[in-house]
Amino acid sequence: MKKQWWHRTVGYQIYPKSFQDTNGDGIGDLQGVIRRLDKIAALGANVIWLCPVFPSPMVDNGYDVSDYMDIDPCFGSMEDMKELIAKAKEKGIRILMDLVANHSSDQHEWFQKALRDPYGKYGNYYVFREGRAGGPPNNWRSIFGGSAWEKVPGRENLYYLHLFTKQQPDLNWENPELREEICRIIREWMELGLGGFRLDAISHLKKNYDYEDLPADGPDGLCLAFDHINNVKGLSDFLLELKEKAFAPSDALTIGEYDNMKPEDVEAVIGENGSFSSVFDFSHTHHNVYYPEWNGDTLGMFNDYRDKLFEAQKVVDGRGLLCNFLENHDKNRCIDRFLAKEDRNPHSIRMLPVTNFFLPGIVFLYQGQEIGMRDFPKKSMDEYVDAPTHAEYEEFLKKGLTPEEALFRINSNSREHSRTPMQWDGSENAGFTTGTPWFAVNPNYTWLNYEAQEKDPDSLLHFYRKLVSVRRRPDLEETFIYGRLIPRLQDRSGILAYERRDERNRILVVTSALSEEMRLPLAEADATEALMNESELLLDNYETAPLFEKGELTLRPWECLVIRLGGKERGTD
């Protein structure tokens, strides 16, 4: 694998609206990111991914872009953005922006012109179709619920496509003029010194426009039609053109929101000459301990999570690097997602990030993850503000759940939990704003906050800093990036273990989701002699040393270990 600058990425995702407000309007801004750059640098991150800061009506919190070449006034100005890029660079941090290229806002100048002339130049920037039998062109369902087609105002039988909300019309990537316009926008941003882009909903650019109705998959008579809108044949042509014309000239880091990558597609997607630098490993995003299939069973869910991680790595098979993460702006907090209430403790919450932090790939943390920010369940749906969350609630009701059951499901998985304001300190509004926050602050901020953890050397924050420092250690980093992955102890329930190995190092990572001790014969990990010969303990979530005796390793409840194996075994195959 040819070495690239971005292979060393330890990223930090920021949801700007909820990160840090500096002008008292209750909305986080770019100056707030600048103010906290020291904290991000102290964590050890070298890339920041900013969720969208383009002008937007905020129907979908910025993922409905009305101007791709400016900054929304609620976040600041273009001068603020340039200052952020420059000051981050001084600290060795590169900025990624969030490119929303599948759709725009309905308030974008392009779409407003398209509505006036659907058959003209800008009409061809979007997907307009005639309806059938007095209704939409077909029965496709929007990802956010309801028909994926919206009637054009003032037109008798004309509709436009929107895979998300009706205020987010899909762009027509079949139009080469539209593609060239997107490439121009990217090039202009890269000239300002960006490190690259995270590419939103990028696997939906190509559609299979077969307008026949599909078998309904719900009581609404509609069909999600995922095979027609996701990873459709021909998508790779669009993506390679985007890379060659927009990203390659600037050596940009590009991370695609691209799921269901097949083994035969890996090299075309993230290989040496693939479309992207990396794509997110979404293999665990359907894991939630309170989903019906697990019903509070942490151990059962953990075993499935382990298997899915190794399956995803097997698909890639060393031909590229996945982007590993546990939290983002679309998922609830990992402590609440992966651990049943009775299983949450200081050891278990430290064990979680170790499970995938040292797998092959680059890695991203999400704001507040480093201090263990938690979900903020609501007493009624009236307290939720996110339109897709309300749409999901209505879908639960349509499927026969009671209002109480539907609210429980929302409280267990709403993406709003990850969007509560960052908890900086114990002052009013958690130090996020001096005004009225745009979104309710989790009341646990009085004790769960950054300032308190920074003062406590035994805090989760300091554990995350140690986690990053181990991965970034000069004599170990290349092993974590390029070394072989060797899964271990896969038949042991509650154990996720693997080795990373190259000619320099042999590193064993072991994590336990068990609430009791577990004795592991070291021979099963092929490491008995290695552990007995000058091994180095790199990371542990217990204060006392791990227990090695008589050829066995005794894992304590919820323990995680990262060990550089020593002696003559080191670095051999």
Side-chain angles (χ1 to χ4, degrees), residues 74-360:
C74 76
F75 298 123
S77 65
M78 280 294 290
E79 291 308 308
D80 293 322
M81 188 68 200
K82 292 174 184 178
E83 182 183 356
L84 172 60
I85 293 170
K87 289 192 172 177
K89 184 178 180 181
E90 291 173 5
K91 298 182 183 299
I93 299 172
R94 305 199 196 201
I95 303 295
L96 302 189
M97 292 186 75
D98 210 330
L99 182 67
V100 188
N102 176 72
H103 49 267
S104 76
S105 164
D106 63 351
Q107 299 304 304
H108 196 291
E109 180 184 16
W110 298 342
F111 191 68
Q112 291 299 305
K113 290 180 177 179
L115 288 179
R116 293 193 289 271
D117 183 9
Y119 300 102
K121 172 182 174 177
Y122 289 101
N124 199 32
Y125 273 33
Y126 296 89
V127 183
F128 290 95
R129 294 292 185 272
E130 298 287 333
R132 291 192 302 117
N138 61 23
N139 69 337
W140 285 2
R141 183 190 298 109
S142 159
I143 291 171
F144 284 168
S147 174
W149 298 95
E150 181 70 12
K151 198 167 186 180
V152 176
R155 300 277 177 167
E156 183 175 348
N157 190 37
L158 191 65
Y159 294 76
Y160 67 85
L161 179 68
H162 60 92
L163 295 188
F164 296 90
T165 71
K166 67 180 181 180
Q167 294 90 352
Q168 294 168 288
D170 276 55
L171 292 166
N172 176 24
W173 276 73
E174 303 295 333
N175 178 4
E177 191 173 359
L178 178 277
R179 299 199 303 273
E180 181 53 42
E181 184 70 13
I182 296 295
C183 289
R184 180 191 65 79
I185 289 167
I186 293 169
R187 289 193 297 266
E188 289 193 19
W189 275 109
M190 291 303 299
E191 287 171 4
L192 294 179
L194 281 184
F197 285 88
R198 177 261 187 182
L199 301 158
D200 179 72
I202 201 72
S203 59
H204 299 307
L205 300 186
K206 179 79 176 179
K207 282 84 170 177
N208 177 356
Y209 293 112
D210 179 352
Y211 292 100
E212 296 300 316
D213 284 348
L214 298 169
D217 59 13
D220 57 4
L222 302 176
C223 178
L224 187 54
F226 226 64
D227 289 344
H228 285 60
I229 63 171
N230 189 65
N231 293 349
V232 172
K233 185 178 180 181
L235 172 66
S236 61
D237 295 334
F238 294 161
L239 299 180
L240 282 172
E241 180 184 46
L242 193 64
K243 175 188 175 181
E244 292 167 2
K245 290 186 176 181
F247 294 124
S250 302
D251 193 23
L253 166 58
T254 57
I255 308 176
E257 187 183 26
Y258 183 106
D259 54 1
N260 298 323
M261 183 170 59
K262 299 178 178 63
E264 60 269 25
D265 297 331
V266 170
E267 291 181 17
V269 177
I270 58 171
E272 197 82 25
N273 299 304
S275 303
F276 306 116
S277 307
S278 182
V279 296
F280 294 97
D281 176 14
F282 287 125
S283 64
H284 61 78
T285 53
H286 297 294
H287 287 79
N288 187 309
V289 70
Y290 285 109
Y291 282 177
E293 54 263 54
W294 290 292
N295 195 29
D297 177 12
T298 297
L299 184 59
M301 195 208 73
F302 184 86
N303 288 336
D304 193 68
Y305 163 69
R306 171 198 62 199
D307 295 343
K308 293 295 192 299
L309 286 184
F310 287 144
E311 286 172 16
Q313 290 291 336
K314 188 175 181 180
V315 166
V316 175
D317 194 27
R319 294 176 289 170
L321 297 178
L322 291 172
C323 182
N324 302 311
F325 71 100
L326 288 182
E327 291 190 6
N328 66 20
H329 65 293
D330 276 334
K331 302 302 297 182
N332 61 312
R333 295 291 183 174
C334 66
I335 294 172
D336 297 87
R337 188 157 71 95
F338 284 94
L339 299 169
K341 290 181 180 179
E342 63 273 17
D343 295 325
R344 298 167 193 165
N345 58 68
H347 296 116
S348 64
I349 66 175
R350 286 162 173 75
M351 177 274 296
L352 280 179
V354 178
T355 55
N356 72 344
F357 199 82
F358 298 103
L359 288 172

Side-chain angles (χ1 to χ4, degrees), residues 15 59-61 143-145 165 168 329-332 376-378 380-397 403 405-419 438-439:
Y15 193 73
V59 172
D60 191 20
N61 292 295
I143 291 171
F144 284 168
T165 71
Q168 294 168 288
H329 65 293
D330 276 334
K331 302 302 297 182
N332 61 312
F376 183 13
K378 308 301 190 296
S380 79
M381 284 302 299
D382 294 338
E383 298 178 60
Y384 283 101
V385 300
D386 184 44
T389 295
H390 282 270
E392 187 176 17
Y393 175 79
E394 294 300 323
E395 287 298 315
F396 284 142
L397 296 181
E405 290 170 335
L407 179 61
F408 176 81
R409 288 291 299 273
I410 293 297
N411 277 333
S412 298
N413 71 358
S414 173
R415 67 184 189 172
E416 284 199 16
H417 295 312
S418 64
R419 302 181 180 192
W438 78 278
F439 198 56

Side-chain angles (χ1 to χ4, degrees), residues 26-44:
I27 298 173
D29 46 50
L30 293 177
Q31 283 298 324
V33 180
I34 293 170
R35 177 185 294 182
R36 300 296 185 178
L37 280 174
D38 284 344
K39 304 295 187 186
I40 298 169
L43 184 61

